Amino acid sequence: MLDPQLLRKDPEAVAKRLKAQSFDFDWQRYADLENRRKQVQSDVEAMQGDRNRISKQIGKLKRDGGNVEQQMEQMSQLADGLKSGQDDLASLQAELSELAAGTPNLTHESVPIGSNEDDNVEVRKWGTPRAFDFDVKDHVDLGSAGAMLDFDMAAKLTGSRFVVMQGQMARLHRALAQFMLDVHTQEHQYTEYNVPFLVNPDSLHGTGQLPKFEDDQFRTTDDSPYYLIPTAEVPLTNMFRERIVEEADLPYRCVAHTPCFRREAGSYGRDTRGMIRQHQFEKVELVHIVHPENSYEALEELVGNAEKILQKLELPYRTVTLCTGDIGFGAAKTYDIEVWLPAQDTYREISSCSNCEDFQARRMKARFRGKSGKPELVHTLNGSGLAVGRTLVAVIENYQQKDGSISVPEVLRSYLGCDRISG
RNA sequence: GGAGAGAUGGCAGAGCGGUUGAAUGCGGCGGUCUUGAAAACCGUUGAAGGUUUGUAGCCUUCCGGGGGUUCGAAUCCCUCUCUCUCCGCCA
C-alpha cells in the first residue's frame, strides 16, 4: 500500500508516476472521495464528542439525583445524524482503502523505464555456457530415461503441470533444496524456518496477493478459507505482521524451504512442456526485514546470496533489473536471476529478488521502534534462493553427457553419494 | 467430537455499566547517586486517525474479530476466531 499522506497531498503526481508503470490510477475519484471523507469524518467526530460530553453529564446528574430529561432529549436528537454519518464514513473509507489496496508500489528511481521484459536491463553475467559436441536434449527427454521425470504419471494422479520424480532424480531434487538451505544458514547468516503451507486471507493481503491476485491462488472451500501459499514469502514476511520489533534486532534474515502452489491462470499454452511452469513446485525462499535506511544494501546482499548458489553449482547465469513494465505489484525494485538453459539456448528466470520498501510493511503494520520512540515501518525484501525445480532443470540440462546420463555437480556429490545419475 | 476456562498496553497482569486510556509489576526512556557500571530512589512511557506549517495543542477511535442491548459498554447479551485444561479419536 502506498503512503496515504502521499496520495492525499498530490494524487495527480502519484497517478503520473504510476502511468509510467502502465497503471491507470483514478486520481480524481480518489481526491473526490478523500474530500468527502474529510468532511464527514470531522462531522462525525464532533457528534461523537457531543455524545460523550452529554453522557458524562447524565452520569454525574444521576449520581447527584438530578433531572436528566433535557440531556436525554439532546441525545435522541443526536442519534440519527450520528448513525447515518458513521455509515457514510465507513463506506467512504471502504472505497478509499479498496482503491489503495489495488494500487501497485511506486518504483525506485534506479528502475529502468520500459513496457515489457524486453526492456529489462542486464547488470551482470556469470560463467560461460558450455560448448557441446553433441545434440543437447532438454530435461524432459533426459528425464524420461527410467521414468526419472514422469509427467504422464502426474497427469494421471492429478492433471497437467505436475510431475513425479523417481529414484536418483527425486534424490537430486531433495539434495538441491538441502544444499541451498545449508549454504544460506551456514554461510549467509539466515535463520531457518519451517512454516505452514496454508495461510489465512490476512496473510495474503499483507504481502499483496490479495485482493488483486485472488485468481492466481488455490483456496480451500471452507466458510473461512485458507490459501495454499504461492511462495514462502507469504508466511515468512507475515510473521512480522502487526508486530513492533526492537530496532537493535534488525535485520531479520529468514529462509524456508516450502512447496509453492500457483493456479497459473492466464498462462495457458506457456511452458506447457516440462517442469518450468508447474502448479506445485519447491522453492527455498529468502526474506529480509530491515531498517529503511539499509534496504537497498540488503537487496544487493540478497541477490548475491541467491547468485552464490548458482556459482557453487557452476551454472552460468545473468542478472537483470526489471523495468517498470515488468516489475511486480509490490516491488519498488526487482532483480531477476536467469540461468542458462542449453536446450532452450537462452537464459530463464530462476530467482526474483525484490525490495518492497514499506509497501508490504504498511499493509501488515510491520514496524520497529526507532530512536524517536515512535513505531516506524520496516522495509521488507524477498527473493528465491532458488526455485528448486528450475534449478533441477538447469543442472540436468547443463550437466548432461553424450550418453544421456547426468554428471553431478561437485558440491552435490556428498549429498548424493555418487557423481553421475542415469535412468 | 464432548465438557469447561480464557483473550486487556512491548511483555506479564488488575479492572463495580458512568471522573478507566485503563491499577500494579517488568521492560524502555530521562534524572539523582557513582571514576564508570550495577543496585537503589525519583520521574516518564500505548497505538491509529483527524485538524494543523507543526514530532506543540485540540478532537475522535481502539481492551481478540463482527453484531446487539443501553442516554452511556473493557465491563451485559449473541456470534466467530484463537489459546489453555480434561475426556474421546487420530498421523
Side-chain angles (χ1 to χ4, degrees):
Chain A
M1 215 157 70
L2 298 175
D3 187 351
Q5 303 288 355
L6 190 67
L7 285 171
R8 264 173 228 154
K9 215 175 274 173
D10 198 350
E12 190 175 3
V14 174
K16 209 168 176 182
R17 287 180 62 187
L18 287 169
K19 188 89 183 164
Q21 300 167 221
S22 52
F23 180 84
D24 195 14
F25 180 64
D26 190 348
W27 69 272
Q28 291 186 340
R29 176 164 168 246
Y30 191 91
D32 177 52
L33 285 169
E34 182 53 28
N35 283 333
R36 283 159 62 199
R37 193 224 88 229
K38 208 175 281 189
Q39 185 58 51
V40 173
Q41 181 164 340
S42 56
D43 290 352
V44 165
E45 288 184 356
M47 286 189 273
Q48 285 171 327
D50 290 344
R51 183 198 58 194
N52 292 345
R53 269 184 293 281
I54 298 169
S55 205
K56 278 192 177 134
Q57 282 178 20
I58 292 174
K60 224 171 257 167
L61 284 169
K62 280 208 167 173
R63 208 177 24 250
D64 302 343
N67 190 334
V68 295
E69 226 166 87
Q70 191 190 338
Q71 279 74 14
M72 295 295 249
E73 175 59 25
Q74 287 178 310
M75 278 300 225
S76 67
Q77 278 173 16
L78 254 178
D80 287 348
L82 183 57
K83 180 84 176 87
S84 75
Q86 284 172 325
D87 290 348
D88 289 351
L89 183 60
S91 74
L92 282 169
Q93 278 172 331
E95 268 190 89
L96 279 165
S97 63
E98 194 191 321
L99 207 54
T103 303
N105 201 0
L106 291 167
T107 53
H108 189 251
E109 57 188 12
S110 66
V111 171
I113 307 288
S115 48
N116 58 47
E117 61 178 34
D118 297 332
D119 297 323
N120 295 341
V121 175
E122 182 179 303
V123 292
R124 63 184 154 266
K125 205 175 243 179
W126 186 93
T128 313
R130 173 182 156 205
F132 291 88
D133 57 2
F134 55 90
D135 287 342
V136 296
K137 294 179 178 167
D138 76 356
H139 68 283
V140 178
D141 288 338
L142 291 161
S144 66
M148 289 191 293
L149 293 178
D150 196 336
F151 297 95
D152 295 337
M153 180 64 82
K156 170 181 162 180
L157 299 178
T158 309
S160 66
R161 291 200 195 282
F162 289 88
V163 67
V164 171
M165 290 175 255
Q166 184 182 168
Q168 289 291 77
M169 188 64 81
R171 184 163 183 181
L172 176 58
H173 185 261
R174 173 163 58 91
L176 279 168
Q178 206 82 329
F179 164 69
M180 293 175 195
L181 281 173
D182 287 346
V183 171
H184 293 312
T185 55
Q186 289 164 24
E187 296 177 29
H188 299 154
Q189 296 89 43
Y190 285 82
T191 304
E192 181 174 348
Y193 289 86
N194 190 294
V195 293
F197 306 153
L198 286 165
V199 295
N200 59 34
D202 285 346
S203 292
L204 279 176
H205 189 272
T207 30
Q209 283 81 11
L210 289 182
K212 208 165 188 182
F213 305 101
E214 168 96 41
D215 291 349
D216 294 337
Q217 318 302 328
F218 284 105
R219 188 185 56 202
T220 64
T221 56
D222 310 35
D223 289 338
S224 55
Y226 290 146
Y227 292 81
L228 282 162
I229 56 170
T231 160
E233 168 199 343
V234 177
L236 286 178
T237 312
N238 274 282
M239 291 198 296
F240 297 87
R241 172 155 50 86
E242 287 153 45
R243 209 173 134 193
I244 302 172
V245 300
E246 294 299 325
E247 183 172 21
D249 291 336
L250 296 173
Y252 287 86
R253 294 156 70 101
C254 314
V255 60
H257 166 221
T258 69
C260 304
F261 302 91
R262 298 185 183 177
R263 294 272 303 280
E264 294 298 344
S267 63
Y268 307 111
R270 288 227 322 262
D271 301 312
T272 50
R273 180 180 166 86
M275 50 188 299
I276 292 290
R277 190 175 300 276
Q278 305 261 285
H279 288 309
Q280 174 187 325
F281 62 95
E282 289 180 34
K283 186 153 60 71
V284 170
E285 180 76 1
L286 307 173
V287 162
H288 289 206
I289 307 294
V290 305
H291 194 285
E293 286 168 10
N294 305 328
S295 67
Y296 280 91
E297 290 159 44
L299 179 61
E300 297 303 322
E301 255 188 78
L302 177 60
V303 188
N305 296 154
E307 287 181 15
K308 193 76 188 175
I309 299 293
L310 290 171
Q311 290 171 13
K312 283 175 180 282
L313 289 168
E314 299 181 72
L315 292 169
Y317 67 87
R318 62 176 201 144
T319 302
V320 302
T321 306
L322 297 193
C323 72
T324 51
D326 199 28
I327 196 167
F329 182 73
K333 182 171 186 176
T334 299
Y335 290 114
D336 269 11
I337 304 172
E338 301 177 339
V339 70
W340 177 255
L341 292 186
Q344 295 191 11
D345 196 38
T346 188
Y347 290 95
R348 288 301 304 261
E349 177 188 341
I350 198 167
S351 171
S352 193
C353 302
S354 301
N355 182 0
C356 298
E357 298 188 359
D358 61 13
F359 186 84
Q360 295 180 327
R362 183 171 296 107
R363 286 176 162 250
M364 61 174 80
K365 296 188 176 66
R367 296 169 289 178
F368 70 96
R369 200 173 291 281
K371 289 178 190 65
S372 67
K374 289 284 168 199
E376 299 174 48
L377 296 171
V378 297
H379 280 193
T380 64
L381 300 91
N382 63 79
S384 351
L386 308 160
V388 180
R390 288 188 179 182
T391 308
L392 182 77
V393 169
V395 168
I396 295 170
E397 296 192 0
N398 282 284
Y399 280 84
Q400 64 179 291
Q401 305 300 307
K402 194 168 186 175
D403 63 1
S405 66
I406 295 144
S407 77
V408 174
E410 196 69 42
V411 291
L412 294 180
R413 291 185 181 175
S414 60
Y415 291 85
L416 276 173
C418 64
D419 58 11
R420 174 179 296 249
I421 71 173
S422 59

